[in-house]
């Protein structure tokens, strides 16, 4: 006969990973109408955020900023290029590197996207202070987990 009770540590509601996962999915849903309006996916939006900040990056630099491997990033970049939002070109100094930069159309989307962060804060119904505190806590957690993963992969 199967026991239908579990220990508290195995309850779904007590799993940090699940809570973060579910929260991420819900927040991504909040972004959807605004991203649909500018014609990009959430992943494409993240790439655009990196490029609006840094102007030009290698594929590797974008991958590091977004915690994505090149196998995930390359098809995403190809779709952004097909949409006319980015340029992909080999570096003249090192042709193994592919440089990514925004087209005029990619830069123009920045003006349309500038309202999105404010809309997300409204959507979470958090005060500015709550939002800033939570963001800081998540950045701290991300850095800690990332450092642990780097350390364990080097063993």
């Amino acid at each position: 006969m199967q026991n239908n009770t579990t220990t508290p540590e195995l309850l779904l509601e007590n799993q940090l990973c699940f809570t973060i996962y579910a929260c991420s999915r819900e927040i991504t849903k909040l972004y959807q109408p605004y991203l649909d309006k500018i014609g990009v996916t959430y992943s494409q939006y993240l790439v655009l955020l990196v490029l609006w900040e840094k102007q030009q990056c290698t594929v590797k630099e974008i991958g590091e900023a977004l915690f994505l491997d090149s196998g995930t990033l390359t098809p995403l970049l190809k779709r952004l290029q097909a949409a006319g939002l980015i340029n992909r070109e080999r570096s003249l100094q090192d042709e193994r590197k592919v440089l990514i930069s925004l087209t005029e159309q990619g830069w123009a989307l920045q003006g349309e996207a500038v309202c999105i962060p404010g809309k997300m804060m409204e959507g979470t119904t958090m005060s500015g202070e709550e939002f800033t505190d939570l963001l800081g806590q998540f950045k701290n957690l991300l850095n800690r987990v990332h450092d642990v993963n780097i350390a364990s992969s080097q063993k």
Side-chain angles (χ1 to χ4, degrees):
M1 184 161 204
Q2 211 175 11
N3 183 352
N4 289 333
T5 60
T6 188
T7 60
E9 37 297 307
L10 293 179
L11 292 173
L12 183 63
E13 68 188 36
N14 293 336
Q15 304 306 305
L16 178 64
C17 60
F18 175 73
T19 302
I20 291 171
Y21 167 78
C23 188
S24 175
R25 290 182 48 87
E26 292 300 312
I27 289 171
T28 302
K29 286 181 196 175
L30 287 176
Y31 275 90
Q32 203 56 54
Y34 303 103
L35 299 178
D36 287 347
K37 191 174 180 181
I38 64 171
V40 298
T41 65
Y42 181 72
S43 299
Q44 291 170 338
Y45 175 68
L46 296 179
V47 170
L48 291 171
L49 287 172
V50 171
L51 292 170
W52 289 330
E53 179 181 345
K54 300 187 184 289
Q55 299 183 19
Q56 184 180 64
C57 296
T58 63
V59 173
K60 182 179 179 183
E61 289 167 337
I62 294 172
E64 288 171 354
L66 299 179
F67 297 84
L68 295 174
D69 60 46
S70 64
T72 302
L73 199 50
T74 299
L76 178 60
L77 294 172
K78 285 182 178 179
R79 286 191 298 277
L80 283 168
Q81 184 179 27
L85 299 175
I86 65 165
N87 293 312
R88 296 168 59 229
E89 51 194 84
R90 295 242 171 243
S91 167
L92 297 176
Q93 289 78 28
D94 182 351
E95 62 179 49
R96 294 172 296 176
K97 292 182 179 180
V98 176
L99 299 174
I100 310 299
S101 60
L102 292 160
T103 63
E104 281 187 37
Q105 188 180 346
W107 279 111
L109 275 187
Q110 185 180 36
E112 295 181 53
V114 74
C115 68
I116 295 174
K119 296 291 186 185
M120 292 305 99
M121 193 180 317
E122 286 174 25
T124 64
T125 68
M126 298 173 79
S127 71
E129 186 177 331
E130 288 174 308
F131 186 88
T132 301
D133 288 348
L134 185 61
L135 181 60
Q137 290 174 3
F138 272 109
K139 285 180 178 179
N140 184 355
L141 177 61
L142 176 58
N143 289 333
R144 289 177 181 209
V145 173
H146 185 63
D147 289 348
V148 167
N149 286 335
I150 288 174
S152 67
S153 71
Q154 293 173 346
K155 287 182 181 180

